[in-house]
Amino acid sequence: MDFIVINEKDNVATALKDCKSGDTLGECMLLEDIFKGHKFATKDIAKGEIIMKYGEAIGKASCDIKKGSHVHVHNIEGIRGRGDLT
């Protein structure tokens, strides 16, 4: 397998090898290169929607993220340990 999804609630998967734009992983065609260990969206994720990995909220989308796109610090806003969010 070239990717892993831990929990059915997850809306991202983790690549287990370097993958190229246009590769199909499961039901998802990648829209950009995804490096081993990095996440990609398994469905369209709207700005403000919670990013789920391991069945846990790991952040919030800072912009709309298309299915097959790289999900990383450029499009996720942290939601844990944020003293500025009350």
Side-chain angles (χ1 to χ4, degrees):
M1 182 170 292
D2 297 333
F3 69 99
I4 189 166
V5 176
I6 301 295
N7 189 289
E8 63 186 29
K9 296 178 188 175
D10 295 353
N11 54 11
V12 297
T14 302
L16 298 178
K17 68 172 196 162
D18 289 347
C19 300
K20 295 287 185 190
S21 177
D23 288 352
T24 300
L25 301 181
E27 298 177 10
C28 189
M29 185 177 78
L30 299 181
L31 301 179
E32 49 195 308
D33 294 347
I34 307 294
F35 297 110
K36 179 180 179 180
H38 284 243
K39 299 175 293 301
F40 61 92
T42 57
K43 67 177 210 74
D44 288 340
I45 301 171
K47 180 179 180 179
E49 189 174 340
I50 297 297
I51 306 294
M52 299 292 292
K53 182 177 178 184
Y54 312 127
E56 298 289 330
I58 63 164
K60 178 172 62 171
S62 60
C63 60
D64 291 341
I65 304 170
K66 294 274 188 199
K67 179 179 177 178
S69 295
H70 189 209
V71 177
H72 200 54
V73 297
H74 67 286
N75 55 11
I76 295 179
E77 177 182 324
I79 58 173
R80 293 182 182 208
R82 296 273 312 263
D84 61 325
L85 300 177
T86 55

